[in-house]
Amino acid sequence: MALVGDDVTLLYDTKRLTDIREETVEWSRTDLNPDLVHLHEDRRTFYKLQNPAYRGRTVLSEEDLERGIISLRLSRVRLADEGNYTCLFSSVHNQYTVQLLVGGAHSVMALVGDDVTLSYDTKQLKDISEETVEWSRADLKSDLVHLYEDRRTFYKLQNPAYRGRTALSEEDLERGIISLRLSRVRLADEGNYTCLFSSGHNQYTVQLLVGEAHSVMALVGDDVTLSYDTKQLKDISEETVEWSRTDLKSDLVHLHEDRRTFYKLQNPAYRGRTVLSEEDLERGIISLRLSRVRLADEGNYTCLFSSVHNQYTVQLLVGEAHSVMALVGDDVTLSYDTKQLKDISEETVMWSRTDLKSGFVHLHEDHETFYKEHNPAYRGRTVLSEEDLERGIISLRLSRVRLADEGNYTCLFSSVHNQYTVQLLVGVREAGVFPSKVHPALSLEQLCGEIVVLVGSKEGKCSQTVWVGAPLLHHHPCAQIPDLLPMNEHQVPQGHLLQLLILQAQEEQGVVGPGVGGQQHADVWVLGKLWLG
């Protein structure tokens, strides 16, 4: 008998009273496919044909084998481990069967960010979907974690900390098993969870223990190294090293054995992207290089070294390069893929900038855009793609980019749990080229709110004397600007002319681009923003 989460030993005394370490020992379960639980031969363990459900959880005691006893240690027992285990020793004439009974768990372990299942087998062997099931934590003021009744989940009284993170398996209920899935585990989730089934007479308690994994950060497209120092200070190249992710159906990330890598059972998503450093293995360090990182690579990676007693977990956090570049006057798209693969047109989408005093950059709700709530600087310049929303992608089109648009943009999707930030960097075209290669004309109305700098010129050459004016708040003809703005004379320090936007000015035609005919009565360039260090 064992409880979920416990370690248990399956024992068989051969009565030989001799060292049997060189004999063949095989533990199996005939109800499984593949049926191999553990294979020991010539003083070695062979993992290749082992059932994946037992990988990293079985150890045969060398000390007991010396005394003629076969002891198989099974760690972190699961409900699915219950069954009949057969031990074959040297030949089928030496066969022994033991039944493992698994009871309700008293503890379950999870790492921050993992998903975990709290499971209770009612042993009723019938559909209990119409029964009342309540999960709770007595140490919480609002103690309800999950309430299920008449095939429905009731969220009204649920503790807010668990909202959107719990799910009861309908499939398991049909088999008499109560399985509560808790996603995105937090440190605060640690505690004792009580399951009430139909009445207080059917009560079960499980302790959830939450640990923190060592974290490594990488950006999409980067290469990253997951490293574990065994502290052995010796060559471990001939040892068995296995990297895995338990949240994947095919959980093997990398398998190294006898100085070789075995790719046959490797998850296809990692094929051709993992390398174990031979140089580090010679120093007792296990370094797994993962190349061309993808968003889907984010998760907890477990390294098993020789036995389950040498186990290490590292959390890989994957971010996206949150920056987009645009030039003044261009249109730019800020995009966020929600990964939902469904139509989100009816969801609430809010784009904002925390450095703005008022309003949103863009507000979308129930297929509508609410322009009255927009910050005036963005009014009439933002469009959300309806076509992309139907594919689960949020694409905000910002037109006629200004220097003042530079900053961090946050997208809130439905709730703060779905939040994405992108940095917009705004540049200018070919600073310092006068005037043959200048930006197409922008109206003075588009420059409202910018710092206006007037540069005098003589015979087509820019002078070093500039006048830095106050922000331009109104639309005026260019020729009137010198009379309207209070001017202060500055000398431009060398190398400090940043983010330069050049526009030609003509007295009669206002601000124009290159190639426009007419007499130039006022040789003036209007610059969008100038930094003087």
Side-chain angles (χ1 to χ4, degrees):
M1 174 71 182
L3 294 174
V4 171
D6 281 352
D7 295 346
V8 66
T9 300
L10 308 181
L11 190 69
Y12 169 40
D13 189 347
T14 66
K15 311 292 186 184
R16 302 250 307 234
L17 302 176
T18 59
D19 187 347
I20 58 172
R21 285 181 293 174
E22 295 188 3
E23 302 283 352
T24 298
V25 175
E26 178 184 313
W27 284 91
S28 61
R29 270 182 64 184
T30 56
D31 59 321
L32 298 180
N33 182 22
D35 66 348
L36 187 64
V37 173
H38 192 95
L39 177 60
H40 170 96
E41 198 170 9
D42 295 331
R43 295 177 182 262
R44 292 174 56 203
T45 297
F46 293 85
Y47 298 101
K48 193 172 182 180
L49 299 177
Q50 187 182 38
N51 187 299
Y54 291 91
R55 198 162 291 150
R57 298 196 297 131
T58 58
V59 177
L60 209 61
S61 168
E62 291 282 337
E63 185 178 334
D64 283 350
L65 288 173
E66 291 176 11
R67 298 185 293 123
I69 299 171
I70 302 172
S71 300
L72 181 72
R73 185 77 170 171
L74 176 60
S75 62
R76 305 186 306 281
V77 170
R78 308 168 183 171
L79 282 172
D81 293 336
E82 185 166 287
N84 293 319
Y85 291 74
T86 299
C87 175
L88 296 175
F89 164 54
S90 293
S91 70
V92 292
H93 300 294
N94 292 286
Q95 184 171 322
Y96 168 77
T97 299
V98 58
Q99 183 183 28
L100 175 61
L101 300 174
V102 180
H106 64 268
S107 64
V108 173
M109 176 69 184
L111 293 172
V112 171
D114 278 353
D115 295 346
V116 68
T117 299
L118 310 180
S119 191
Y120 168 42
D121 190 347
T122 67
K123 309 293 183 184
Q124 299 220 1
L125 301 176
K126 66 175 185 179
D127 188 350
I128 58 171
S129 303
E130 294 187 3
E131 303 283 353
T132 298
V133 176
E134 179 185 312
W135 284 90
S136 60
R137 271 183 63 183
D139 61 318
L140 299 179
K141 191 173 181 179
S142 173
D143 67 345
L144 187 63
V145 173
H146 194 94
L147 177 60
Y148 175 92
E149 197 169 8
D150 294 332
R151 295 183 180 269
R152 293 173 56 202
T153 298
F154 293 85
Y155 299 103
K156 192 173 181 180
L157 299 177
Q158 187 183 38
N159 187 301
Y162 292 92
R163 204 154 286 159
R165 298 196 298 130
T166 59
L168 211 59
S169 169
E170 292 278 348
E171 185 178 336
D172 283 351
L173 288 173
E174 291 172 4
R175 297 185 294 125
I177 300 171
I178 302 172
S179 298
L180 181 71
R181 187 75 170 171
L182 176 59
S183 60
R184 306 185 303 279
V185 170
R186 307 167 183 171
L187 279 173
D189 293 335
E190 184 166 287
N192 292 319
Y193 291 74
T194 299
C195 175
L196 295 175
F197 164 54
S198 292
S199 70
H201 301 293
N202 292 286
Q203 183 171 322
Y204 166 79
T205 298
V206 58
Q207 183 185 28
L208 175 60
L209 302 173
V210 180
E212 288 188 278
H214 173 66
S215 295
V216 174
M217 177 69 185
L219 292 174
V220 171
D222 282 353
D223 295 345
V224 67
T225 299
L226 310 180
S227 189
Y228 167 42
D229 189 348
T230 66
K231 311 292 186 185
Q232 299 223 359
L233 301 176
K234 65 176 185 178
D235 188 349
I236 57 172
S237 303
E238 295 187 1
E239 302 282 354
T240 297
V241 175
E242 178 184 312
W243 284 91
S244 61
R245 270 183 63 185
T246 57
D247 61 316
L248 300 179
K249 190 172 183 181
S250 173
D251 67 344
L252 187 64
V253 172
H254 192 96
L255 177 59
H256 170 97
E257 199 169 7
D258 294 332
R259 295 182 182 269
R260 293 172 55 202
T261 298
F262 293 85
Y263 298 103
K264 192 173 181 181
L265 300 176
Q266 186 183 38
N267 186 303
Y270 291 91
R271 205 153 286 159
R273 297 197 299 131
T274 59
V275 177
L276 209 61
S277 169
E278 290 284 342
E279 184 179 336
D280 282 350
L281 287 174
E282 291 172 4
R283 297 185 294 124
I285 300 171
I286 302 172
S287 298
L288 181 71
R289 187 75 171 171
L290 176 60
S291 60
R292 305 184 303 282
V293 170
R294 307 166 183 173
L295 278 174
D297 293 336
E298 183 165 288
N300 291 318
Y301 291 74
T302 299
C303 176
L304 296 175
F305 165 54
S306 293
S307 73
V308 72
H309 300 294
N310 293 286
Q311 182 172 323
Y312 168 77
T313 298
V314 58
Q315 182 183 31
L316 175 60
L317 302 172
V318 180
E320 293 183 275
H322 301 311
S323 62
V324 175
M325 177 70 183
L327 294 173
V328 171
D330 281 352
D331 295 348
V332 68
T333 299
L334 310 180
S335 190
Y336 169 39
D337 189 351
T338 67
K339 310 294 183 186
Q340 300 222 359
L341 301 176
K342 66 176 183 179
D343 188 350
I344 58 171
S345 304
E346 294 184 358
E347 301 281 351
T348 298
V349 176
M350 293 180 289
W351 283 92
S352 61
R353 275 181 60 182
T354 55
D355 58 326
L356 295 180
K357 288 184 178 179
S358 63
F360 295 97
V361 172
H362 194 93
L363 176 60
H364 170 96
E365 198 167 11
D366 292 330
H367 286 278
E368 282 188 65
T369 298
F370 293 83
Y371 296 106
K372 284 187 178 180
E373 305 295 328
H374 288 189
N375 184 290
Y378 291 92
R379 207 160 283 160
R381 296 198 298 132
T382 59
V383 176
L384 209 59
S385 168
E386 287 288 340
E387 184 179 333
D388 282 355
L389 287 173
E390 291 173 2
R391 298 185 296 125
I393 299 171
I394 302 172
S395 298
L396 181 72
R397 187 76 170 172
L398 176 60
S399 60
R400 306 184 305 280
V401 170
R402 309 168 181 173
L403 283 167
D405 291 338
E406 185 168 287
N408 292 320
Y409 291 74
T410 299
C411 176
L412 294 175
F413 164 54
S414 293
S415 70
V416 292
H417 300 295
N418 294 286
Q419 183 170 323
Y420 168 79
T421 299
V422 59
Q423 183 185 28
L424 176 60
L425 302 173
V426 181
V428 293
R429 298 178 192 269
E430 308 206 38
V433 181
F434 303 90
S436 59
K437 294 182 180 179
V438 297
H439 193 278
L442 297 179
S443 70
L444 293 181
E445 187 176 12
Q446 290 172 313
L447 288 174
C448 284
E450 302 285 359
I451 298 296
V452 175
V453 180
L454 304 182
V455 181
S457 71
K458 205 167 189 179
E459 298 177 352
K461 295 182 180 179
C462 180
S463 70
Q464 291 186 344
T465 304
V466 299
W467 292 266
V468 181
L472 181 62
L473 302 178
H474 304 287
H475 180 196
H476 297 287
C478 186
Q480 298 179 23
I481 291 176
D483 300 324
L484 292 172
L485 297 177
M487 296 297 171
N488 298 308
E489 185 173 326
H490 295 272
Q491 292 294 321
V492 183
Q494 187 176 3
H496 282 239
L497 199 60
L498 306 176
Q499 300 192 63
L500 185 64
L501 172 65
I502 309 162
L503 300 175
Q504 276 187 286
Q506 292 187 352
E507 185 177 24
E508 297 176 355
Q509 299 183 20
V511 181
V512 297
V516 178
Q519 180 74 25
Q520 291 193 5
H521 297 290
D523 286 321
V524 175
W525 285 270
V526 180
L527 290 76
K529 188 180 289 185
L530 181 70
W531 296 93
L532 298 176

